[in-house]
Amino acid sequence: MAETENKTTIKVTDINGSPIEIGTNVGYINTGTVGKVTDIKEDEDGLWVLIDKKELYYKPELLEITETISRRIKEKPTAKSRPGEEETEAPEDISHITGGG
């Protein structure tokens, strides 16, 4: 998933293997938090990506570049509550990801 070059450049990839760099827009797959990458670091616990929206570090394998997220959301079916009402996006089921109960 990641490798270091000359101990100064860290190569990081998202859940799909797409490269993440500072300035890349990403989304956290568990909550849908979306933001811009402002820092990438590596410590004894592994690789971390800082997202400006929450100013929190996330594991890169739990991030997805937002272009991919946008495409996936657009492909989701829409649902109507009652005849004549506007269409709304169907909520995304992430229960299999979060393990919540």
Side-chain angles (χ1 to χ4, degrees):
M1 171 135 329
E3 62 183 58
T4 57
E5 284 184 41
N6 303 330
K7 296 191 179 206
T8 56
T9 304
I10 301 173
K11 291 193 177 187
V12 181
T13 57
D14 73 354
I15 192 170
N16 298 311
S18 300
I20 297 175
E21 300 174 348
I22 293 177
T24 302
N25 291 312
V26 295
Y28 179 54
I29 62 172
N30 289 341
T31 62
T33 299
V34 177
K36 186 175 284 191
V37 174
T38 57
D39 188 30
I40 298 171
K41 72 176 186 175
E42 184 173 21
D43 64 14
E44 64 276 354
D45 293 321
L47 292 166
W48 299 94
V49 176
L50 180 65
I51 298 179
D52 65 349
K53 185 78 169 184
K54 296 282 185 177
E55 295 189 9
L56 295 173
Y57 281 93
Y58 296 85
K59 299 297 280 179
E61 60 270 16
L62 298 176
L63 298 174
E64 190 171 29
I65 293 178
T66 55
E67 293 171 358
T68 306
I69 292 170
S70 297
R71 183 170 51 248
R72 186 176 70 220
I73 290 171
K74 287 179 185 172
E75 291 172 356
K76 286 196 159 291
T78 58
K80 288 185 178 183
S81 302
R82 296 184 189 119
E85 287 188 357
E86 289 185 30
E87 290 186 9
T88 58
E89 287 187 5
E92 183 174 355
D93 178 15
I94 62 168
S95 60
H96 65 285
I97 297 171
T98 60

